[in-house]
């Protein structure tokens, strides 16, 4: 199975380059702590940086990402249960 991949995007609406880079660094740090234990292999994750990311306390960012991943697992689990099984010959 392919490894999990991560993308981070921050638009110019967040601020100048210094602010955008700070948001990226914070999101990368949060992802490095949370994703290894909660992300699934073979999935792509995209984190979208917002202006509030700069002022949000770091522990809250950890909790936010953990909750988001839990919601995705629950939603995907239901979707995968409804999806018919693939035959062995098809990708």
């Amino acid at each position: 199975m392919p490894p999990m991949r991560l993308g981070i995007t921050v638009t110019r609406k967040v601020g100048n380059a210094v602010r955008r880079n700070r948001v990226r660094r914070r999101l990368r740090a949060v992802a490095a702590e949370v994703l290894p234990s909660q992300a699934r292999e073979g999935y792509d994750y995209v984190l979208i940086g917002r202006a509030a990311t700069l002022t949000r306390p770091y522990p809250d960012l950890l909790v936010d990402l953990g909750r988001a991943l839990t919601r995705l697992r629950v939603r995907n689990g239901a979707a995968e249960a409804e999806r018919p099984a693939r035959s062995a010959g098809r990708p």
Side-chain angles (χ1 to χ4, degrees):
M1 180 170 281
M4 177 270 314
R5 296 187 305 178
L6 173 67
I8 297 175
T9 183
V10 183
T11 67
R12 283 197 215 168
K13 291 180 184 180
V14 171
N16 64 16
V18 173
R19 293 173 63 97
R20 292 193 310 268
N21 287 332
R22 189 174 299 143
V23 168
R24 279 188 205 99
R25 283 194 305 269
R26 291 192 91 202
L27 290 177
R28 245 185 257 121
V30 168
E33 281 194 49
V34 175
L35 291 180
S37 63
Q38 295 189 26
R40 290 177 147 179
E41 287 185 7
Y43 282 78
D44 296 339
Y45 296 92
V46 178
L47 302 181
I48 301 171
R50 304 284 187 216
T53 306
L54 287 172
T55 57
R56 188 127 173 99
Y58 188 77
D60 290 347
L61 290 174
L62 293 171
V63 170
D64 292 343
L65 183 56
R67 283 185 187 151
L69 290 172
T70 300
R71 287 177 58 199
L72 281 174
R73 275 195 307 275
V74 168
R75 189 176 297 163
N76 262 354
E80 289 175 5
E82 294 172 5
R83 189 178 308 150
R86 294 181 177 184
S87 65
R90 295 178 59 201

